[in-house]
Amino acid sequence: MDFELPKELVAYLAELDEFIDREIVPLEQAEDNIRFFDHRRENARTDWDRGGLPSRDWEALLAETRRRADAAGHYRYAFPAAHGGRDGTNLDMAVIREHLAHRGLGLHADLQNEHAVVANNVGLRLMLEYGSAEQKSAWVDGLASGTRFFAFGITEPEHGSDATHMETTAIRDGDDWVITGEKTWNSGIHSADADLIFARTSGEPGDAAGITAFLVPTDTPGFTIEEYLWTFNMPTDHGRVALRGARVPGAAMFGPEGRGLAVVQHFFNENRIRQAASSLGAAQYCIDQSVAYAKARTPFGRPLAENQAIQFPLVELHTQCAMLRALIRQTAWTMDRHGTFAASEQVSMCNYWANRLCCEAADRAMQVHGGLGYSRHKPFEHIYRHHRRYRVTEGAEEIQMRRVAGYLFGFMKGPAPKGV
């Protein structure tokens, strides 16, 4: 393995920074848009009169950012060239996602809602892999440009990590399917064009086979949004939906019948390694800000940075970032050369550790900055509240550790990583 980043990737990071400084930072500063990032951010982003949903002004600003990024040729970087992208690799995206998060809060990347000028569009990749010709015709252009998207209806109120025991069912009725059940934590459902609903069509509870995915338009009779669940980090777009005899045509089936779980599992590794890279970037940002503050702050007539009680915790976090960065890049490199599932164990290691590390780094940054760090006049509380989510939602860290243990103790089998 060559530990030097590809020259073209390094050049692209410079190109990306130039675009952000030229196009995105001025937009962020215009017309008091900075209210979405300074101490007013949570209030400015949240429409408290609409159940805590993202405010329309906030979402319009994100949409304009995506439009500019797409026009400049950045938004689709990871997509196939046939769809306007640059065939970005897993290593490319890991480095780019870390780089964007390391810049701190801003319109260039706000991970609270998975927004970034370089998209991590799982929906498009799923559509290209599993969509029918009719579905691709209807969806690909909108997904690629970020103007259309579908939510994911997997988790149920009584079934979280174990999707094999889901209670939502789909029963065939002639050429149609009738879906009944409930889903929760459907992020983005308030503005989604459809919800990708996973329902049991055959088999028994606990069977991985027999679950089928359906693209259900959100205006389908019998499909209702029951509530939006308020969270640690507001605004919220996490809906609980009910399907009461929602009827969809056979053409709504997404991927093979009975193989729905394979649809969502297909890109778990790609999504998780990129998310781990984002957490790493945010962690390094917290550390770097803390070091700068400790060097400038002079209580009792001497810089905070002279105190080992300040130095040592940051040294430990900085060291963990360096080790994690090496593992993330090695893992992404392995995936590029030997396939998405060639490093499943390492992906889980990266993911759960990066999420935990980010929370620890944000917490330490608050401590170093004292009362100011605890306030909303610094970004650390926002970073902590957002990334704390990933220790639950991106495959809970216990699930990731269980996965690693499965390989470590021989309970799981899989392709051994090569060349590492």
Side-chain angles (χ1 to χ4, degrees):
M1 177 180 179
D2 184 352
F3 287 91
E4 291 287 341
L5 291 178
K7 292 181 180 179
E8 58 272 20
L9 177 56
V10 175
Y12 177 69
L13 294 180
E15 177 189 342
L16 188 59
D17 280 339
E18 189 278 329
F19 163 73
I20 292 170
D21 293 338
R22 172 173 44 85
E23 288 273 347
I24 304 304
V25 172
L27 178 62
E28 183 181 301
Q29 299 291 327
E31 300 179 0
D32 199 31
N33 287 335
I34 199 64
R35 72 188 187 278
F36 296 114
F37 301 98
D38 64 18
H39 63 282
R40 301 168 290 171
R41 54 187 168 263
E42 189 169 47
N43 190 60
R45 295 176 182 200
T46 307
D47 189 335
W48 304 103
D49 295 327
R50 289 196 303 143
L53 285 170
S55 68
R56 291 187 174 92
D57 287 347
W58 170 231
E59 294 199 309
L61 183 61
L62 295 178
E64 172 60 16
T65 304
R66 291 192 297 270
R67 187 196 66 77
R68 293 189 184 196
D70 198 25
H74 296 294
Y75 188 73
R76 309 188 195 197
Y77 180 94
F79 303 167
H83 300 284
R86 305 196 193 189
D87 294 311
T89 66
N90 286 296
L91 178 60
D92 289 346
M93 286 299 290
V95 173
I96 290 168
R97 298 282 283 189
E98 179 192 347
H99 182 78
L100 291 175
H102 188 208
R103 286 183 62 113
L105 298 188
L107 269 177
H108 61 281
D110 194 90
L111 300 176
Q112 184 182 37
N113 46 19
E114 304 302 330
H115 161 82
V117 292
V118 177
N120 183 34
N121 194 328
V122 176
L124 175 63
R125 300 179 73 83
L126 289 176
M127 182 61 68
L128 294 176
E129 185 72 23
Y130 293 102
S132 65
E134 179 183 353
Q135 289 166 341
K136 289 176 182 177
S137 177
W139 280 92
V140 165
D141 288 344
L143 287 170
S145 64
T147 56
R148 293 191 75 195
F149 76 97
F150 52 82
F152 287 79
I154 305 172
T155 304
E156 297 185 351
E158 300 302 323
H159 303 282
S161 298
D162 181 11
T164 65
H165 281 87
M166 67 175 57
E167 297 178 27
T168 300
T169 61
I171 299 173
R172 192 187 299 272
D173 184 17
D175 293 331
D176 296 340
W177 291 88
V178 179
I179 306 175
T180 302
E182 285 191 47
K183 298 293 181 180
T184 193
W185 303 115
N186 286 34
S187 301
I189 191 63
H190 69 295
S191 58
D193 298 283
D195 201 4
L196 188 61
I197 295 291
F198 293 78
R200 183 162 292 284
T201 53
S202 63
E204 300 295 329
D207 292 347
I211 293 172
T212 304
F214 298 90
L215 266 177
V216 180
T218 53
D219 59 359
T220 300
F223 180 97
T224 59
I225 301 172
E226 300 290 296
E227 65 174 333
Y228 289 101
L229 299 155
W230 287 31
T231 63
F232 196 26
N233 216 12
M234 295 292 283
T236 180
D237 61 355
H238 312 296
R240 178 173 64 84
V241 305
L243 299 99
R244 300 183 177 92
R247 180 179 292 271
V248 295
M253 188 183 297
F254 191 77
E257 181 177 343
R259 302 294 297 168
L261 290 186
V263 172
V264 73
Q265 288 171 345
H266 190 92
F267 292 107
F268 265 177
N269 280 7
E270 286 190 15
N271 195 51
R272 284 173 175 165
I273 197 67
R274 296 174 187 183
Q275 195 277 309
S278 294
S279 287
L280 169 62
Q284 191 69 64
Y285 170 82
C286 291
I287 295 164
D288 292 351
Q289 291 292 304
S290 297
V291 169
Y293 182 79
K295 291 165 70 175
R297 183 75 165 174
T298 54
F300 307 107
R302 52 189 295 215
L304 273 177
E306 293 183 6
N307 299 319
Q308 290 180 341
I310 296 294
Q311 296 171 1
F312 285 6
L314 292 173
V315 166
E316 289 191 359
L317 291 167
H318 185 60
T319 300
Q320 290 182 50
C321 281
M323 292 188 293
L324 179 62
R325 183 174 299 109
L327 182 59
I328 286 175
R329 293 182 181 182
Q330 181 192 60
T331 301
W333 177 88
T334 300
M335 293 165 65
D336 287 333
R337 281 153 182 76
H338 305 294
T340 300
F341 294 103
S344 294
E345 178 183 2
Q346 288 76 16
V347 169
S348 289
M349 290 177 180
C350 292
N351 191 263
Y352 93 80
W353 194 259
N355 297 332
R356 186 185 295 180
L357 178 59
C358 186
C359 288
E360 291 178 357
D363 184 77
R364 177 53 52 183
M366 285 187 252
Q367 195 72 17
V368 171
H369 284 77
L372 184 61
Y374 181 68
S375 78
R376 295 190 179 184
H377 294 269
K378 288 292 183 179
F380 310 121
E381 57 82 31
H382 176 87
I383 292 171
Y384 179 88
R385 285 187 290 113
H386 170 70
H387 286 269
R388 183 62 181 83
R389 155 193 173 187
Y390 284 130
R391 294 176 64 188
V392 176
T393 62
E394 192 57 32
E397 61 183 41
E398 291 81 4
I399 296 295
Q400 302 288 1
M401 294 172 75
R402 181 186 179 196
R403 194 182 191 201
V404 175
Y407 288 105
L408 182 63
F409 289 93
F411 301 121
M412 296 177 66
K413 303 297 181 183
K418 301 175 183 177
V420 297

